[in-house]
């Protein structure tokens, strides 16, 4: 019986400990972090492979060659974008961890207001700084989403034309890279319907794969925007809760101080009466 009672107490203690740990998890920040990591991973991974596929298509079907000198051509721009993708992946991996840590501390501050963790002015300033930074990142991801939609639109036109080649027989449609600013106006790099290069490009896996990779990258950028909006709501709510908690804590401190002063005054008067009686 003693062993059964001890085992029951141990299980009860473990259950209470698990419930306490689960209640301290910032689920809203956790969901936003998962969405952010999924969106950034989708954008960076698919975007990197889509850029590599674009290089293959430009070299094999449009016969665009890399400039022998250190000039800012399309291949140099693609290399720069790949390095930017590496930086974005690393930066937002760290930023997601920071926001998650901030969510844990804020949750702890709200739930354990009068415990060991104390809400300070520095904590509120950090929350306000994260709100401002997250708002800037949200605007940046909106720009990234708009920029990613450009290659999606371009590849959709090419892919749609390839899918409907039987409907445009006799029509001479051309895809000229000068229209998209990929090459200079002096270079004539185009592929027209009816040519051998056009049919090879349409039948190749590079075009279909690159198009769908850009679509996935666009979806990842959109998911990152949604994650930033989610983070803004979470941070704004946490900041408001912490601000109200700080006010409540100040009110309780003032109330306690006044009660202590009243108690001291009452004690002093009692001592004075006792001395006068004596």
């Amino acid at each position: 019986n003693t062993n059964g009672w001890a085992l029951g107490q141990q299980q009860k203690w473990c259950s209470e400990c698990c419930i306490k740990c689960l209640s301290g998890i910032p689920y809203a920040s956790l969901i936003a972090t998962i969405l952010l990591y999924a969106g950034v991973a989708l954008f960076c991974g698919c975007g990197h492979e889509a850029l590599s596929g674009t290089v293959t298509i430009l070299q094999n079907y449009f016969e665009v060659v890399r400039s022998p000198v250190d000039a800012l051509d399309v291949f140099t721009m693609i290399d720069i974008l790949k390095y930017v993708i590496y930086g974005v992946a690393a930066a937002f991996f760290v930023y997601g961890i920071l926001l998650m840590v901030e969510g844990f501390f804020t949750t702890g501050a709200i739930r354990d207001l009068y415990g060991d963790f104390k809400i300070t002015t520095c904590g509120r300033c950090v929350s306000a700084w994260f709100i401002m930074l997250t708002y800037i990142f949200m605007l940046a991801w909106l720009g990234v989403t708009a920029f990613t939609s450009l290659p999606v639109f371009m590849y959709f036109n090419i892919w749609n034309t390839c899918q409907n080649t039987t409907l445009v027989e006799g029509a001479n449609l051309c895809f000229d890279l000068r229209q998209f600013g990929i090459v200079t106006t002096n270079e004539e790099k185009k592929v027209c319907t009816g040519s051998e290069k056009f049919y090879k490009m349409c039948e190749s896996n590079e075009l279909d794969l690159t198009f769908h990779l850009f679509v996935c990258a666009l979806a990842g950028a959109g998911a990152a925007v949604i994650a930033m909006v989610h983070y803004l709501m979470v941070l704004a709510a946490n900041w408001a809760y912490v601000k109200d908690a700080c006010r409540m804590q100040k009110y309780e401190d003032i109330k306690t101080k006044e009660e202590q002063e009243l108690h001291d005054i009452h004690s002093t008067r009692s001592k004075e009466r006792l001395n006068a009686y004596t």
Side-chain angles (χ1 to χ4, degrees), residues 51 66 71-82 147:
L51 290 174
R66 186 182 293 270
L72 191 61
D73 57 357
V74 62
F75 296 107
T76 305
M77 291 295 297
I78 289 175
D79 291 338
I80 293 174
L81 289 176
K82 286 183 178 180
F147 180 77

Side-chain angles (χ1 to χ4, degrees), residues 183-256:
V183 296
T184 60
T185 56
N186 298 328
E187 301 179 74
E188 186 176 350
K189 302 294 183 180
K190 62 182 180 180
V191 174
C192 300
T193 57
S195 64
E196 185 180 357
K197 289 182 180 179
F198 178 80
Y199 289 113
K200 285 184 177 180
M201 181 178 66
C202 291
E203 293 175 358
S204 65
N205 294 326
E206 288 87 357
L207 179 64
D208 186 71
L209 181 60
T210 303
F211 169 60
H212 288 91
L213 284 174
F214 270 120
V215 172
C216 292
L218 180 62
V225 172
I226 296 174
M228 290 292 104
V229 174
H230 196 163
Y231 267 129
L232 278 176
M233 293 189 293
V234 172
L235 291 171
N238 288 342
W239 186 82
Y241 291 151
V242 170
K243 186 177 180 180
D244 291 341
C246 288
R247 290 178 179 178
M248 183 61 67
Q249 185 175 4
K250 290 180 181 179
Y251 170 76
E252 293 293 337
D253 292 340
I254 294 173
K255 184 179 178 181
T256 303

Side-chain angles (χ1 to χ4, degrees), residues 57-66 74-75 154 158 174-192 197 201:
I57 292 174
L58 291 176
Q59 290 177 341
N60 294 343
Y61 305 107
F62 288 91
E63 297 182 352
V64 181
V65 295
R66 186 182 293 270
V74 62
F75 296 107
M154 183 180 69
I158 300 175
C174 297
F175 297 103
D176 196 341
L177 296 182
R178 291 176 296 183
Q179 297 175 345
F180 305 101
I182 297 178
V183 296
T184 60
T185 56
N186 298 328
E187 301 179 74
E188 186 176 350
K189 302 294 183 180
K190 62 182 180 180
V191 174
C192 300
K197 289 182 180 179
M201 181 178 66

Side-chain angles (χ1 to χ4, degrees), residues 2 24 30-31 43 67 123-124 133 136 179 207 230 235 237 272:
T2 304
L30 180 62
I31 294 173
F43 170 78
S67 177
R124 294 193 318 182
L133 201 60
I136 294 174
Q179 297 175 345
L207 179 64
H230 196 163
L235 291 171
E272 290 178 352

Side-chain angles (χ1 to χ4, degrees), residues 117-156:
F117 184 81
K118 298 296 183 180
I119 302 173
T120 61
T121 305
C122 180
R124 294 193 318 182
C125 292
V126 170
S127 296
W129 171 255
F130 273 125
I131 292 175
M132 183 184 67
L133 201 60
T134 304
Y135 182 76
I136 294 174
F137 284 149
M138 184 198 69
L139 295 179
W141 275 108
L142 283 174
V144 170
T145 304
F147 180 77
T148 310
S149 64
L150 296 179
V152 172
F153 175 74
M154 183 180 69
Y155 274 101
F156 175 76

Side-chain angles (χ1 to χ4, degrees), residues 84-115:
V84 170
I85 286 175
Y86 300 149
V88 168
F92 278 92
F93 176 77
V94 176
Y95 191 66
I97 293 177
L98 292 177
L99 288 177
M100 195 64 192
V101 170
E102 194 273 344
F104 271 107
F105 275 105
T106 307
T107 303
I110 294 172
R111 297 185 184 277
D112 301 325
L113 178 59
Y114 300 106

